[in-house]
Amino acid sequence: TSLADFVIDLISYNTSNKEIEEQTRARVTHIINSWAAVTDIQIPKNALILNSKSQVRETFKSTIKEPASFVIGFWVLTSRQWVGLVRDKNILIARTTQILGMAIILALFFSRLKHNTTSIQDRLGLIQQMTALYFTGMLNNLAAYPQERDYFYDEYNDDVVGLNSFFFSYFFIEIPFEVVSCFVFTIFMVFVIGFQTDAKLFFTIFYTTFLIVNAGESLGISFNTVFEHPGFALNVISVFCSIGVAMAGLLAMTLDGFLKALNYTSPLHYCVMLISNQVFTSSLRLTCTANERLSNGECLFNSGKQVLDQYNLKVDMTLYYVLISVVTVLQRVISWVFLRVKLMKISTKKLKKN
């Protein structure tokens, strides 16, 4: 029923038994010898000669399989990823509970924040702990991306869908979980742990934590694209995350020129600075015990603004809001570039194989 199957059977050996094998070998040998004897091939006058790939595509466009358009590929891949997410409880649990679990753990350790001298270190430590969301974003990626990546490679090899359809469908599935999880995380930080009940602070925590979780996903896409083995990719990513956390601005407040410049490429630095500037304001009143008072009877710190000035943490808030957004977008663009290069290598191997 299939012309292709008939041709393959015609030029193949059948080894089911010795007699049939001898017959099929004789047939194949006859075909090869017949073609070898042909020295002059007459091309019919009405034959269509195709000299380029574009001519081949134009002539046989009804039979050549083209990748689906961006819109069709996007919706099909989004539907498939969503069905896979719902069916795979491990991925669903990972995406919905990791950030929430971290919020609960931080609440158990830091709730509720006081307003004494010790609470200054508590607040700085809590802000530093938020940088771990970068690693959490990477873990979310590790739970879902390798499997979807492998599916996409097969579909790309078969010319079913293109890169952008896959890339944006993954982004579309990922965003709602990040938004909801980071919103709940912010509620824990402000209302459970006890940061100031302030709209600007609430927005800052939500926006910056959402961006660093998203940046963690981008980092995961990049390294899980470069390295096929998730375990090895995890080891490499952990190094980058650890360096970023250490240089964020609270563990190491004084960096040399090179590390300081490198720190501006990390969203963690902007996250720490923005939240610190919103937490340590003049509205944050601090107290101290009699033993902690200075010789003049005053506390070392009476307000959050004094802490900010003492540790030299004051930054241009507007500029840092813009920069953390730009850095996060750039990290996602870099992950797209890594995936593009990977697909070029796959296409090259496919051409060599053919």
Side-chain angles (χ1 to χ4, degrees):
T1 58
S2 171
L3 180 61
D5 289 339
F6 171 74
V7 173
I8 291 174
D9 291 339
L10 191 65
I11 60 174
S12 301
Y13 300 140
N14 187 333
T15 58
S16 57
N17 62 61
K18 186 176 181 179
E19 182 180 352
I20 295 178
E21 182 178 355
E22 290 176 352
Q23 293 175 358
T24 55
R25 283 184 179 276
R27 183 182 66 217
V28 172
T29 302
H30 174 71
I31 294 174
I32 294 174
N33 293 335
S34 298
W35 273 103
V38 176
T39 57
D40 185 22
I41 300 176
Q42 298 295 326
I43 301 177
K45 292 182 179 180
N46 61 347
L48 180 62
I49 300 175
L50 305 176
N51 297 315
S52 66
K53 186 176 180 180
S54 60
Q55 289 180 337
V56 174
R57 285 187 173 274
E58 180 63 27
T59 304
F60 299 101
K61 60 183 178 182
S62 60
T63 57
I64 294 178
K65 182 171 62 177
E66 294 283 354
S69 65
F70 168 77
V71 175
I72 294 175
F74 172 80
W75 286 114
V76 170
L77 290 180
T78 301
S79 300
R80 191 203 67 200
Q81 289 186 38
W82 176 255
V83 171
L85 177 68
V86 173
R87 289 177 177 175
D88 192 334
K89 304 303 180 185
N90 293 327
I91 299 177
L92 190 62
I93 292 172
R95 285 204 173 277
T96 55
T97 62
Q98 290 196 102
I99 297 176
L100 175 62
M102 183 176 174
I104 294 173
I105 292 173
L106 291 178
L108 292 175
F109 276 91
F110 290 95
S111 183
R112 286 189 53 93
L113 292 173
K114 298 180 174 57
H115 290 78
N116 52 25
T117 304
T118 306
S119 69
I120 297 173
Q121 298 301 320
D122 291 339
R123 285 175 168 82
L124 290 173
L126 178 56
I127 295 171
Q128 178 64 38
Q129 287 297 321
M130 291 184 192
T131 59
L133 289 174
Y134 197 42
F135 192 80
T136 304
M138 182 275 298
L139 292 178
N140 285 340
N141 174 266
L142 196 64
Y145 178 76
Q147 176 179 294
E148 294 297 336
R149 173 202 64 193
D150 293 341
Y151 290 155
F152 169 64
Y153 286 169
D154 292 336
E155 291 162 349
Y156 183 82
N157 272 327
D158 292 337
D159 290 329
V160 177
V161 291
L163 166 60
N164 291 332
S165 296
F166 168 74
F167 192 80
F168 285 100
S169 65
Y170 183 86
F171 179 76
F172 188 77
I173 291 291
E174 152 202 353
I175 286 297
F177 290 99
E178 293 174 353
V179 170
V180 174
S181 297
C182 290
F183 187 79
V184 174
F185 181 87
T186 305
I187 291 175
F188 268 82
M189 295 302 103
V190 174
F191 297 106
V192 178
I193 294 180
F195 276 137
Q196 302 97 294
T197 307
D198 179 79
K200 289 182 179 179
L201 175 59
F202 189 95
F203 169 78
T204 300
I205 295 176
F206 168 70
Y207 185 65
T208 55
T209 53
F210 162 71
L211 289 183
I212 63 173
V213 170
N214 188 268
E217 282 264 10
S218 300
L219 196 66
I221 293 174
S222 297
F223 284 97
N224 279 305
T225 299
V226 174
F227 305 110
E228 296 290 339
H229 195 286
F232 184 73
L234 176 61
N235 290 334
V236 178
I237 297 171
S238 298
V239 174
F240 282 83
C241 289
S242 300
I243 293 173
V245 168
M247 295 195 310
L250 295 182
L251 288 181
M253 293 185 176
T254 55
L255 299 172
D256 61 24
F258 172 74
L259 293 178
K260 189 174 182 180
L262 186 64
N263 203 27
Y264 286 114
T265 66
S266 170
L268 300 180
H269 169 68
Y270 304 105
C271 172
V272 165
M273 291 298 116
L274 284 169
I275 296 177
S276 297
N277 276 255
Q278 288 292 358
V279 169
F280 294 102
T281 60
S282 300
S283 62
L284 178 62
R285 309 309 302 177
L286 300 170
T287 61
C288 61
T289 63
N291 294 330
E292 294 171 339
R293 294 184 182 276
L294 302 175
S295 56
N296 59 5
E298 295 185 357
C299 296
L300 179 62
F301 298 110
N302 293 309
S303 68
K305 186 178 183 302
Q306 291 178 335
V307 177
L308 212 62
D309 296 335
Q310 177 67 30
Y311 290 107
N312 195 27
L313 297 175
K314 186 67 177 177
V315 296
D316 185 336
M317 297 285 289
T318 303
L319 176 62
Y320 268 52
Y321 277 124
V322 173
L323 289 177
I324 190 175
S325 304
V326 171
V327 169
T328 304
V329 172
L330 284 177
Q331 288 203 3
R332 187 53 62 105
V333 171
I334 290 172
S335 68
W336 182 92
V337 172
F338 275 111
L339 193 53
R340 175 75 269 178
V341 172
K342 183 70 174 181
L343 293 180
M344 290 174 63
K345 292 178 64 177
I346 291 175
S347 299
T348 303
K349 290 179 180 179
K350 183 180 178 182
L351 289 174
K352 289 181 177 179
K353 185 177 180 181
N354 295 334

